[in-house]
Amino acid sequence: MDNHVFDKSKLPSRHVTEGTSRAPHRSYLYAMGLTREQIHQPLVGVASCWNEAAPCNISLMRQAQAVKRGVAAAGGTPREFCTITVTDGIAMGHEGMKSSLVSRDVIADSVELTMRGHCYDALVGLAGCDKSLPGMMMAMLRLNVPSIFIYGGSILPGTFKGRPVTVQDLFEAVGKYSVGDMSAEDLDTLETVACPSAGACGAQFTANTMATVSEAIGLALPYSAGAPAPYEIRDRFCTTAGEMVMELIASNLRPRDIVTRKALENAATVVAASGGSTNAALHLPAIANECGIAFDLFDVAEIFKRTPYIADLKPGGKYVAKDMFEAGGVPLLMKTLLDHGFLHGDCMTVTGRTVNENLSKVVWNEDQDVIWPADKPITATGGVVGLRGSLAPEGAIVKVAGMPQAELTFKGPALCFDSEEACFEAVTNRRYTEGCVFVIRYEGPRGGPGMREMLSTTAALYGQGMGSKVALVTDGRFSGATRGFCVGHVGPEAAVGGPIALVRDGDIIAIDAINGTIDLQIGDAEFAQRKKDWKPRKTNFGSGALWKYAQVVGPAVTGAVTHPGASNEVRIYADV
């Protein structure tokens, strides 16, 4: 790749590297072994979410070194830094999960502050676990310097008694064990083999969903989202990304040139088509907020409503990310969607080419059944469905990928809990009846605080064989690994007096994922009286990061964002 001659007078790093007044600043750079030539080249932030919390992030530092080689080869000076990650698999099922969604915004904020403080000219961001992917993309759009996103890659599937398994099987095994359908010995064996390598959860849970989004939205290189973390090809993608970001500096192609309304629609399309995580309905509006584009839960749901479900991926299907990559990857998924009119082909991408141009040489692979043709889908619509009604005037979301048509409606009496722990205890001890609708509330963005995921509870129900015999409704979230009739993101949330706060045990709740409705069947007078009697609850957090988050976070319908976004900005960082 040809090296360019860069005009530093137009780049942010001029504030720390150019002119006699910056001699003290340059002395710090010399102290780290940089040469005069390196100091006067563009400075490229290489941000990773590396940590030792979980396999999702453990390979990111190694991959960052490959990015740095690519930046250096193309005439840039890479500057590596790390930000936090909260890994959902570790945080799940206890108070740690309150930190998960909060971490998305802390990641975006910390990347922004590092870039601003040191005046870096471009960004290559590497992320592994769920919230770190949208967090990194949000930072790119907020800063609007030339940027490329890199997913750290998925984990390989484990093998248990001759069949492939993922961490989802372990969460469900806890439920099986509780009802005597699995021995302690098998549970012990399963936990040692379910996660055999580095990488994020292997099925179409939130990490792989948002990785798929990164390609579809145009911020990641084609095929880069699919390669599992242990595959050596990951280093090639990383090196290429380092080289390509220098091309983006030269052409001044910025993230907001790429992430348009049409690109967001493409992203929502691949989520629905792949049976992806309901969390995308939270993250896409947050990403849109960074561009100043109004794109809320209902906009996402409209796309879901018209998109065929075509990727046979776990948890609703039978394959994992490795299988889709080897069948043809995200480009094959996008190609069939494009060919049948479901994608906007004129959107620009970080390759400097449009979606149409990127996919022009992708040939349909007949010798695979991971991805189905878009004109012959698994189901005509609905990996994920948006809902609205008297229980959720601000909307709700449900993942129905893999569910039979007969199970897409549900009506039953409410069984109410004011925390996930209380519900999980009731499930574990079988204190519920078939046909009920579990209601878990005060778990929203403000009320949690932090909008926890409910995988431990939903997986335990599935493990008990009750996945299709009950429903669950919450103002919190669900893991991408959740399956069964589980409705999340109910808004307004209980903490602000939304209808979910007014439900009582025995009230009838009706959910219809075919027509997109969710209703609390009580009379208007009764509803009004309950509303009048309702009083806000105090949380257990009177200080610290979770308290601070609760003061500023917005509703789920617009992405649970913590600042006004690009629509309110005065100056973009890239233009400092």
Side-chain angles (χ1 to χ4, degrees):
M1 192 169 289
D2 294 335
N3 284 7
H4 299 276
V5 176
F6 295 96
D7 180 4
K8 287 273 274 194
S9 70
K10 296 179 180 177
L11 296 178
S13 64
R14 72 186 184 278
H15 295 297
V16 295
T17 66
E18 307 306 305
T20 55
S21 67
R22 297 306 184 235
H25 303 65
R26 289 191 294 271
S27 73
Y28 278 35
L29 301 177
Y30 281 118
M32 293 182 285
L34 268 63
T35 65
R36 187 181 304 274
E37 179 185 23
Q38 288 173 322
I39 289 170
H40 294 291
Q41 292 177 158
L43 304 184
V44 177
V46 179
S48 86
C49 298
W50 175 86
N51 64 28
E52 292 184 328
C56 343
N57 317 305
I58 201 68
S59 71
L60 294 178
M61 188 176 286
R62 180 186 65 79
Q63 293 189 42
Q65 310 319 305
V67 173
K68 290 163 69 177
R69 289 194 294 271
V71 170
T77 301
R79 309 314 297 149
E80 183 180 2
F81 64 95
C82 290
T83 182
I84 69 159
T85 323
V86 172
T87 296
D88 288 9
I90 298 286
M92 194 71 68
H94 53 89
E95 280 213 347
M97 181 48 75
K98 292 179 184 290
S99 300
S100 173
L101 183 60
V102 180
S103 76
R104 180 194 72 181
D105 295 71
V106 171
I107 289 164
D109 291 350
S110 61
V111 172
E112 176 196 358
L113 293 174
T114 301
M115 294 287 290
R116 282 186 182 277
H118 306 111
C119 293
Y120 296 155
D121 302 315
L123 175 62
V124 180
L126 300 95
C129 193
D130 301 7
K131 309 310 170 296
S132 62
L133 282 78
M136 194 65 74
M137 288 186 262
M138 287 160 66
M140 292 173 174
L141 291 155
R142 186 183 303 177
L143 295 161
N144 206 32
V145 291
S147 302
I148 295 179
F149 177 84
I150 297 173
Y151 179 41
S154 66
I155 199 168
L156 297 175
T159 303
F160 178 69
K161 295 187 174 181
R163 66 179 181 87
V165 290
T166 70
V167 72
Q168 174 196 352
D169 294 278
L170 259 177
F171 276 100
E172 293 179 4
V174 173
K176 290 181 179 178
Y177 175 74
S178 74
V179 294
D181 286 347
M182 176 174 275
S183 67
E185 292 75 19
D186 278 354
L187 182 60
D188 182 65
T189 301
L190 181 58
E191 74 177 62
T192 65
V193 300
C195 299
S197 75
C201 296
Q204 201 68 350
F205 309 155
T206 304
N208 280 321
T209 297
M210 295 310 296
T212 305
V213 161
S214 72
E215 282 194 39
I217 210 167
L219 291 174
L221 297 174
Y223 296 100
S224 66
Y231 282 21
E232 290 301 317
I233 197 173
R234 291 233 54 86
D235 279 8
R236 276 190 276 161
F237 285 124
C238 292
T239 302
T240 301
E243 294 171 345
M244 280 299 305
V245 81
M246 299 307 297
E247 293 290 320
L248 298 182
I249 297 173
S251 63
N252 198 29
L253 182 60
R254 297 178 176 188
R256 293 188 202 173
D257 301 324
I258 291 166
V259 179
T260 60
R261 170 87 189 198
K262 285 183 176 180
L264 288 159
E265 290 177 358
N266 284 350
T269 298
V270 299
V271 172
S274 65
S277 168
T278 54
N279 284 308
L282 197 68
H283 301 322
L284 290 177
I287 288 169
N289 181 60
E290 303 291 352
C291 311
I293 299 171
F295 192 72
D296 66 15
L297 171 65
F298 296 111
D299 296 303
V300 175
E302 276 302 309
I303 307 296
F304 290 169
K305 197 183 294 183
R306 61 175 185 256
T307 304
Y309 167 47
I310 60 170
D312 193 9
L313 297 170
K314 288 177 180 285
K318 58 185 176 181
Y319 292 111
V320 294
K322 174 185 82 77
D323 302 315
M324 187 162 89
F325 176 67
E326 291 168 354
V330 178
L332 190 69
L333 175 72
M334 292 177 65
K335 177 69 169 176
T336 187
L337 290 167
L338 179 68
D339 287 349
H340 294 96
F342 294 101
L343 286 185
H344 303 290
D346 57 347
C347 293
M348 182 54 64
T349 73
V350 289
T351 64
R353 300 185 296 272
T354 64
V355 169
N356 275 329
E357 291 168 329
N358 285 345
L359 300 180
S360 62
K361 294 182 181 178
V362 175
V363 178
W364 180 251
N365 179 5
E366 295 282 358
D367 300 319
Q368 58 84 36
D369 64 348
V370 183
I371 302 166
W372 295 33
D375 61 339
K376 297 173 183 173
I378 299 169
T379 57
T381 60
V384 184
V385 174
L387 306 173
R388 194 176 205 165
S390 62
L391 186 58
E394 282 184 357
I397 199 89
V398 62
K399 182 173 181 174
V400 297
M403 288 174 62
Q405 186 81 2
E407 294 179 11
L408 297 184
T409 60
F410 198 99
K411 182 188 284 190
L415 186 57
C416 300
F417 302 90
D418 290 348
S419 71
E420 188 199 7
E421 285 87 351
C423 186
F424 183 70
E425 184 193 5
V427 169
T428 302
N429 294 303
R430 304 296 297 272
R431 292 200 306 270
Y432 65 92
T433 55
E434 184 177 321
C436 74
V437 179
F438 292 96
V439 176
I440 305 179
R441 58 195 174 194
Y442 296 100
E443 292 285 9
R446 187 181 297 270
M451 203 180 183
R452 285 194 289 182
E453 291 182 352
M454 309 292 163
L455 178 60
S456 293
T457 301
T458 60
L461 284 166
Y462 223 92
Q464 291 176 354
M466 299 297 286
S468 62
K469 297 172 184 175
V470 295
L472 198 154
V473 174
T474 181
D475 54 6
R477 299 180 295 117
F478 290 113
S479 166
T482 291
R483 51 180 176 160
F485 213 147
C486 299
V487 178
H489 305 200
V490 169
E493 61 173 293
V496 298
I500 193 170
L502 311 179
V503 183
R504 294 179 182 172
D505 288 348
D507 288 347
I508 300 300
I509 295 174
I511 313 164
D512 185 339
I514 299 169
N515 295 306
T517 60
I518 178 166
D519 291 299
L520 175 62
Q521 297 187 339
I522 63 173
D524 292 345
E526 174 67 15
F527 183 87
Q529 185 60 48
R530 292 186 192 180
K531 182 77 174 171
K532 184 179 176 183
D533 295 341
W534 178 81
K535 291 180 176 59
R537 286 164 50 96
K538 289 185 177 180
T539 75
N540 292 329
F541 298 90
S543 65
L546 295 177
W547 174 87
K548 184 161 57 175
Y549 179 82
Q551 309 314 302
V552 296
V553 68
V557 66
T558 49
V561 296
T562 55
H563 71 119
S567 63
N568 205 49
E569 72 188 355
V570 177
R571 183 176 61 171
I572 301 172
Y573 162 74
D575 295 330
V576 296

